[in-house]
Amino acid sequence: MEKQIEDRSVKPKNKKQTKKKNKNENIENQEKDPECIAKNYETNEQKLFLEQKPDIFNNFKISIEINILAVILFMSALSSRFFKLDQPRNVVFDELHHGKYISLYMKRTFFFDTHPPLGKQLIAAVAYLCNYNGQFKFERIGSEFSDEVPLFALRFVPALCGSLIIPVAYQLMLELGCRHWCAALASFLLLCENTLLTQSRFILMESILIFFTLCGLLFVLKYKRQNMKSPWALTYLIIASVCLTMATCVKYVGLLSWLLSLWIICRDFWVNHLGDKRLSDLTVFLCVILRCIITFVISVAIYFSVFFIHLIILNKAGPHDSVMTSAFQASLEGGLASITKGQPLHVSHGSQITLRHTHGRTCWLHSHTHVYPIKYADKRGSSHQQQVTCYTFKDVNNWWIVKRPEKNTLAVDNTKDPDGIKHGDIIQLVHGMTSRALNSHDVAAPVSPQNQEVSCYIDYNVSMPAQNLWKVEIINRDQFGDVWQAINSQVILTHLNSTQALKFSGRQLPDWGFNQHEVVTDKIISQDDTVWNVEEHRYTKSENEKERERELVAAEMIPPKGTKLGLWERFWELQYKIIFSSPNTQNVHSHMYSSEPLDWPLMVRGVAYWLSEHDNGQIHLLGNIIVWYSSTLCLLLYLSFFAFYLLRQRRQIYDLSFDEWEQFKTIGEVLVVGYGLHYIPYFFIDRTLFLHHYLPALVFKILLCAAFMQHLANIVKEKLIPRFIFHLSLCIWILSVMYVFKKFIVFSYGTTPLTSKEVLKLRWKDTWDFIIHKP
């Protein structure tokens, strides 16, 4: 029995050995067979290729990650912004201005706006693709659009940017370290904010501005997250620079976003990179220089390109070109160019000229037969000489004749070789219609008594001799030479006796001066208001006074050639005018719907945008009051919590972990600082302000509100009852946001007919000025 068992135990072993032996013999035979050798070679090559394939194609992998929640929010934004986008078919609020600019783009007619042109260019590009001819005039708010106006196309860009704000804000919150539900909450609050909805549906700039601002900030945060050595960091910085510069090119408020981004980048560099000993001093220095150069070059290139496109397109004279200098106007087709082209270039003895105030308000040196009153309202005496003013309209009394003191004739003897006036020459200016010379003397000016009066001299045979000699100083002679040129030369006329310069004071004369502007002399020679230039120019042909008057009144030149001004010169002049000129001089409280910055956080009043002629249906810029008040409260609570945590940490008590505290600080340095930068400057702006100026700051405050909600959720997450109360309150709050949004959405679309009672029911605050004109 034991032998049988032993035999069984050995038998399987022998079978295995036999199989292994047979297998080895087969392999040896196959290796000797030529056909098997070839097959094995092919198999080995395939294995080798498959082993190397992942290494070769690893870099070509494409992974697509779609966040369904973000897509849903984006689609909701698209549907709400584009719903009945071409309704109402009437001009709504500031569409009056921006739409007019779009029409002028279509006609290539120059216009002047204190804001950069990128937003209008984007809208004009879409309008051009839709064959808009620019014939609609945008005459008044409420004007009905003609069928030829592609209104959907004109409102497309603001609506698209207003929709893209939602997913960009979602990604921005994730980049700040917030959870997905917090990012979704922030996007939801922006989606249900009625002011953003209203502003996105019309030819307005705020939605475009906010979109580029958030995009730039998003990529700045992506840049911050990358190490300085990472190539992606530089890519993100380039994209951020493009977006932030485009925001600046829509409105100069975008510069505030640049300041915020610079603060984030510099603080991150100071905290995380400057103290990194793994980086050498040279590496850190080169990284900083490289990033500064790239950012500067990209920003300057985009900014210049936007304005160059603007100036190249707008090559025709229009209603706004009077703001620009004579040289700028003369470079445009039509308008001043048709008057000045071909006129004599060099000003000489006997030249008939109009002298224009070069910078600031457009007006021309002017005189008339009326004299200064003997006594002013403050009992001061005057010279009682002929008035000299600056007049804002073209008039025959704007003509003056240039005369050398030693010559008694006024006519130009030789038009081919005239007696040109040069820098430093002494001249007299004789008023064309009255033949009296420009004069000044030691008498206080009528409205600016600290300055000296300017008049045309009348010989009353009293002890007040004529002081009518003026020295010509050409301030841009390095560019145009020493000889006084029409249009080009900018001159300062210095009174020889008092060594004071002829100046436009900017003050308005009383009724006795026909409310024209005061002209004086000033001790400060070099300033913008003492600069003048010759605009219209012709040579005096006759010595007879009556004949000269007929020349001035009736003569008209039909010149053959226009004046040229380079693109760079026009660019720098336009920048100067945008920065320093103030065409809108109306008082800060002049508009019935203007508001103060202190009114904005609690939405004291809105702005009436449009009113239906048939009923009380209207578009009124008014926010979601739940969102506004909640975000204002969260801002105050955040600041309180921040101060509380700092005090506790000073006492060596740490309520938050290191990571939680760093995220809490990051939220503050981005969103709170961003809110302050976009809100506080308006307290120092002396111009008409409306609720929509607050919208960029509001976006930062809403994002802060969502981030603070996440912080509260982190505080109560370990406690069951507080967590339940928080979640319940959060649900109720979200439902109330949706309710108010739906309740006031009629003021965003303006398509719902309303009765007076329905309008009054929506007046939740006494300061909300809704319009009711139908029962």
Side-chain angles (χ1 to χ4, degrees):
M1 187 71 178
E2 290 178 359
K3 187 178 181 180
Q4 289 179 354
I5 293 174
E6 185 178 350
D7 290 339
R8 286 176 185 176
S9 62
V10 172
K11 193 173 182 179
K13 184 177 179 181
N14 292 335
K15 285 184 179 180
K16 287 182 181 180
Q17 289 176 349
T18 304
K19 287 181 180 179
K20 186 174 180 181
K21 183 178 179 181
N22 294 335
K23 186 177 180 181
N24 291 334
E25 290 177 356
N26 291 334
I27 291 172
E28 289 177 0
N29 294 331
Q30 288 177 359
E31 288 176 350
K32 294 178 181 178
D33 189 357
E35 292 183 2
C36 292
I37 292 173
K39 288 181 181 180
N40 289 336
Y41 178 79
E42 292 176 0
T43 304
N44 291 334
E45 286 293 313
Q46 290 175 357
K47 287 180 179 180
L48 180 63
F49 176 76
L50 291 173
E51 288 174 358
Q52 293 178 348
K53 183 177 178 181
D55 295 332
I56 296 173
F57 293 101
N58 260 344
N59 294 330
F60 293 89
K61 286 183 178 179
I62 298 175
S63 59
I64 299 175
E65 184 177 333
I66 299 176
N67 190 307
I68 301 299
L69 189 55
V71 171
I72 292 173
L73 289 167
F74 176 54
M75 297 306 295
S76 301
L78 280 175
S79 61
S80 63
R81 270 62 177 171
F82 281 89
F83 177 70
K84 294 185 178 180
L85 188 61
D86 58 351
Q87 297 295 326
R89 288 196 65 84
N90 302 90
V91 177
V92 176
F93 194 58
D94 272 353
E95 284 189 330
L96 176 71
H97 304 295
H98 300 304
K100 191 176 295 183
Y101 297 150
I102 305 305
S103 294
L104 291 173
Y105 262 125
M106 298 299 104
K107 295 184 288 187
R108 306 194 66 173
T109 302
F110 178 80
F111 64 86
F112 178 79
D113 185 20
T114 54
H115 295 292
L118 179 60
K120 296 174 278 289
Q121 288 175 352
L122 294 175
I123 298 174
V126 177
Y128 175 78
L129 294 175
C130 295
N131 299 318
Y132 174 51
N133 56 20
Q135 296 303 315
F136 189 77
K137 295 183 178 180
F138 292 86
E139 293 178 334
R140 60 180 179 84
I141 296 175
S143 298
E144 187 173 356
F145 287 104
S146 62
D147 294 335
E148 298 177 353
V149 178
L151 188 54
F152 185 90
L154 292 178
R155 293 173 176 173
F156 175 82
V157 173
L160 178 62
C161 290
S163 303
L164 289 170
I165 287 172
I166 308 304
V168 172
Y170 185 93
Q171 293 299 322
L172 177 62
M173 295 300 287
L174 294 180
E175 204 63 39
L176 283 170
C178 297
R179 299 193 187 98
H180 283 276
W181 72 265
C182 177
L185 177 62
S187 299
F188 170 78
L189 294 177
L190 293 175
L191 177 66
C192 294
E193 174 45 45
N194 299 72
T195 52
L196 295 179
L197 172 62
T198 305
Q199 209 71 12
S200 300
R201 288 179 45 79
F202 305 105
I203 311 173
L204 304 172
M205 298 295 112
E206 276 69 27
S207 61
I208 307 175
L209 167 68
I210 294 171
F211 167 67
F212 284 128
T213 296
L214 293 183
C215 280
L217 189 58
L218 170 63
F219 284 99
V220 165
L221 293 175
K222 286 181 176 292
Y223 162 79
K224 175 186 174 183
R225 184 164 50 87
Q226 296 292 325
N227 189 282
M228 285 184 67
K229 294 181 178 179
S230 170
W232 282 107
L234 198 60
T235 304
Y236 290 144
L237 184 61
I238 291 172
I239 299 174
S241 301
V242 171
C243 293
L244 292 170
T245 307
M246 293 180 77
T248 304
C249 291
V250 174
K251 276 191 170 185
Y252 282 121
V253 176
L255 286 171
L256 302 175
S257 306
W258 254 121
L259 291 177
L260 174 62
S261 300
L262 287 175
W263 155 255
I264 295 171
I265 292 171
C266 292
R267 187 182 184 280
D268 175 66
F269 173 76
W270 179 267
V271 173
N272 297 323
H273 299 298
L274 197 59
D276 190 349
K277 294 183 178 180
R278 293 172 298 177
L279 302 175
S280 66
D281 295 345
L282 181 61
T283 302
V284 172
F285 178 76
L286 291 177
C287 285
V288 171
I289 294 300
L290 176 64
R291 282 154 174 77
C292 289
I293 291 174
I294 290 177
T295 302
F296 177 78
V297 169
I298 289 174
S299 301
V300 170
I302 293 174
Y303 187 82
F304 281 8
S305 300
V306 167
F307 274 97
F308 284 173
I309 292 170
H310 178 73
L311 292 170
I312 290 170
I313 293 175
L314 306 181
N315 63 342
K316 298 180 181 179
H320 293 178
D321 60 2
S322 62
V323 177
M324 312 306 293
T325 62
S326 302
F328 193 104
Q329 293 181 64
S331 67
L332 301 173
E333 294 181 11
L336 181 63
S338 65
I339 300 172
T340 60
K341 60 184 179 180
Q343 68 183 9
L345 178 63
H346 294 119
V347 178
S348 65
H349 169 80
S351 288
Q352 297 175 3
I353 63 173
T354 60
L355 272 173
R356 173 186 157 135
H357 176 231
T358 302
H359 303 299
R361 177 176 285 276
T362 303
C363 62
W364 293 265
L365 190 67
H366 176 94
S367 187
H368 40 240
T369 56
H370 300 275
V371 296
Y372 291 112
I374 297 176
K375 286 190 177 292
Y376 299 123
D378 59 0
K379 307 302 180 184
R380 287 185 299 113
S382 78
S383 65
H384 200 49
Q385 298 282 326
Q386 182 173 303
Q387 296 176 15
V388 173
T389 65
C390 205
Y391 194 40
T392 54
F393 298 95
K394 293 293 185 71
D395 188 86
V396 70
N397 281 311
N398 297 346
W399 285 96
W400 299 80
I401 302 175
V402 179
K403 178 182 178 297
R404 289 194 182 275
E406 64 274 12
K407 291 188 177 183
N408 294 324
T409 61
L410 290 177
V412 176
D413 297 330
N414 186 358
T415 57
K416 293 184 179 180
D417 186 20
D419 182 12
I421 306 297
K422 297 181 179 179
H423 172 75
D425 285 356
I426 307 300
I427 64 167
Q428 292 174 321
L429 285 175
V430 179
H431 187 241
M433 297 302 292
T434 62
S435 297
R436 290 177 177 143
L438 186 70
N439 187 78
S440 185
H441 34 229
D442 189 15
V443 176
V447 186
S448 305
Q450 72 276 13
N451 297 118
Q452 193 167 282
E453 178 192 272
V454 175
S455 64
C456 279
Y457 183 74
I458 302 175
D459 188 2
Y460 287 124
N461 199 20
V462 295
S463 58
M464 186 177 283
Q467 298 180 7
N468 53 20
L469 300 179
W470 301 84
K471 181 180 179 182
V472 176
E473 297 183 37
I474 303 174
I475 61 175
N476 59 345
R477 61 186 180 279
D478 57 336
Q479 185 177 1
F480 294 104
D482 287 339
V483 181
W484 190 0
Q485 295 184 14
I487 301 292
N488 297 324
S489 296
Q490 296 179 2
V491 302
I492 295 176
L493 297 173
T494 306
H495 187 238
L496 200 62
N497 297 85
S498 62
T499 64
Q500 297 187 25
L502 186 71
K503 175 188 175 183
F504 165 78
S505 73
R507 310 286 294 276
Q508 200 165 14
L509 296 172
D511 291 340
W512 54 257
F514 307 98
N515 300 115
Q516 296 175 19
H517 293 274
E518 182 188 43
V519 173
V520 299
T521 61
D522 197 311
K523 294 179 181 178
I524 302 175
I525 304 297
S526 299
Q527 53 177 308
D528 285 347
D529 286 327
T530 60
V531 180
W532 305 81
N533 68 272
V534 172
E535 186 167 274
E536 297 175 66
H537 178 213
R538 57 177 66 102
Y539 289 144
T540 303
K541 299 177 182 178
S542 174
E543 290 290 345
N544 184 277
E545 184 176 345
K546 295 296 182 183
E547 191 68 28
R548 286 201 309 268
E549 288 183 12
R550 283 193 288 270
E551 282 182 34
L552 294 171
V553 173
E556 182 177 355
M557 301 179 68
I558 307 176
K561 191 176 180 182
T563 304
K564 297 295 183 182
L565 189 68
L567 192 61
W568 276 104
E569 287 84 356
R570 285 192 289 158
F571 168 79
W572 289 116
E573 180 178 332
L574 184 57
Q575 295 305 300
Y576 179 89
K577 292 291 183 181
I578 288 175
I579 295 171
F580 294 105
S581 66
S582 301
N584 181 15
T585 57
Q586 60 181 328
N587 187 270
V588 72
H589 299 293
S590 61
H591 197 284
M592 64 180 298
Y593 284 101
S594 63
S595 54
E596 298 278 355
L598 285 175
D599 299 335
W600 297 341
L602 297 180
M603 201 169 57
V604 173
R605 62 186 328 199
V607 186
Y609 272 17
W610 173 80
L611 178 67
S612 173
E613 296 180 354
H614 310 291
D615 49 66
N616 292 311
Q618 57 190 282
I619 295 172
H620 199 97
L621 186 69
L622 200 69
N624 189 318
I625 194 170
I626 302 296
V627 175
W628 282 60
Y629 279 56
S630 301
S631 57
T632 301
L633 177 61
C634 286
L635 173 64
L636 298 175
L637 288 175
Y638 177 89
L639 295 174
S640 301
F641 273 56
F642 190 80
F644 173 77
Y645 290 144
L646 285 178
L647 290 173
R648 296 268 289 176
Q649 289 178 16
R650 189 64 179 168
R651 300 289 297 169
Q652 304 298 316
I653 303 172
Y654 299 95
D655 301 287
L656 302 177
S657 66
F658 177 79
D659 291 338
E660 289 176 331
W661 172 242
E662 286 299 314
Q663 188 195 11
F664 193 75
K665 285 196 304 181
T666 301
I667 295 294
E669 77 177 18
V670 175
L671 300 182
V672 176
V673 174
Y675 173 78
L677 281 174
H678 288 80
Y679 176 53
I680 295 174
Y682 285 105
F683 286 93
F684 306 98
I685 294 178
D686 185 19
R687 55 165 293 187
T688 306
L689 297 174
F690 297 95
L691 186 65
H692 60 76
H693 290 112
Y694 184 62
L695 294 185
L698 175 67
V699 169
F700 282 96
K701 193 167 67 169
I702 291 175
L703 298 181
L704 176 66
C705 178
F708 187 75
M709 289 296 174
Q710 176 179 291
H711 184 68
L712 291 180
N714 291 338
I715 292 175
V716 301
K717 66 181 179 181
E718 301 296 338
K719 302 173 184 178
L720 181 60
I721 296 178
R723 185 177 60 190
F724 173 77
I725 295 173
F726 172 78
H727 289 160
L728 180 62
S729 302
L730 186 64
C731 292
I732 295 173
W733 177 62
I734 291 174
L735 290 174
S736 65
V737 168
M738 295 175 62
Y739 171 78
V740 174
F741 174 70
K742 184 176 180 299
K743 189 80 172 175
F744 285 87
I745 203 170
V746 293
F747 286 150
S748 296
Y749 291 111
T751 56
T752 304
L754 298 174
T755 65
S756 59
K757 291 182 178 179
E758 289 172 331
V759 174
L760 289 174
K761 284 182 180 179
L762 294 174
R763 195 181 181 208
W764 290 5
K765 298 184 71 171
D766 294 336
T767 53
W768 292 355
D769 300 325
F770 301 145
I771 300 175
I772 299 175
H773 72 134
K774 297 287 183 179

